[in-house]
Structure formats: structure tokens, C-alpha cells
């Protein structure tokens, strides 16, 4: 008789833990990407790719401007924009990674 209430209680407890995350950690970070002032005078589509190669974030940025991205997967990322040199950065949860995209230094 006692088994059924204990089993029900265990199922409810496990369900509650899975819904609340039980100390779940947000595995994303932030990166700030600046487009060099020396770039051609048109907006650039800046794209951030996770280590898996999957597109994580994108924004349009004018030369001299900075785009702030949040929700970027932790770890090594690649930042690209057409006609600009790509860059790599490591995103962590304790600070904002920074990258500058330029037309030279590829």
C-alpha cells in the first residue's frame, strides 16, 4: 500500500525538478562586434557562428559601429561579414568577448 504513494511522490518530485531546472545554468554569453571605421561606407551583415558552424546571431552594422549580441553559445565562435576578414573569439559566461572586423589582416 505504501509503494503507490511513494512512487507518485517520486514522480511529482522529479517532474518539478525537471521543470525548474534544479540549478540549471544558462549556457550563453555575450559578444560585442565592431566594424572598422576604414571599411566601405555601407552596412555589413555581421554573423556569429557557433563552434558547430550553426548561425547563432546576426545584425547589420555600419563602419565604426558596434553590435552587441546576447544569447551566444559559450565556447569558440567565428564572426563574419562579407568583404571583411573573419575573426574568432571565445565566449564565456563571465565577460563580454570583443571582436573587430576589418578589411586587412586576413
Amino acid at each position: 500500500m505504501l509503494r503507490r504513494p511513494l512512487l507518485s511522490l517520486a514522480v511529482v518530485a522529479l517532474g518539478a525538478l525537471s521543470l525548474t531546472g534544479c540549478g540549471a545554468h544558462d549556457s550563453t554569453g555575450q559578444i560585442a562586434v565592431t566594424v572598422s571605421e576604414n571599411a566601405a561606407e555601407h552596412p555589413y551583415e555581421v554573423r556569429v557562428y557557433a563552434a558547430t558552424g550553426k548561425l547563432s546571431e546576426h545584425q547589420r552594422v555600419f563602419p565604426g559601429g558596434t553590435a552587441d549580441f546576447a544569447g551566444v553559445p559559450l565556447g569558440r565562435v567565428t564572426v563574419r561579414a562579407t568583404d571583411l576578414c573573419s575573426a574568432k573569439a571565445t565566449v564565456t559566461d563571465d565577460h563580454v568577448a570583443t571582436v573587430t572586423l576589418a578589411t586587412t589582416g586576413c
Side-chain angles (χ1 to χ4, degrees), residues 10-83:
V11 169
V12 169
L14 287 174
L17 286 175
S18 68
L19 290 176
T20 62
C22 187
H25 177 68
D26 181 17
S27 60
T28 61
Q30 299 177 19
I31 187 168
V33 180
T34 301
V35 172
S36 172
E37 291 181 9
N38 297 336
E41 285 297 319
H42 63 78
Y44 290 88
E45 185 73 22
V46 173
R47 298 173 309 277
V48 179
Y49 293 91
T52 61
K54 183 178 177 185
L55 178 64
S56 173
E57 302 286 334
H58 66 94
Q59 271 187 53
R60 285 189 170 225
V61 183
F62 281 91
T66 300
D68 295 317
F69 298 97
V72 178
L74 298 181
R76 200 81 172 139
V77 297
T78 302
V79 182
R80 294 187 182 121
T82 304
D83 299 330

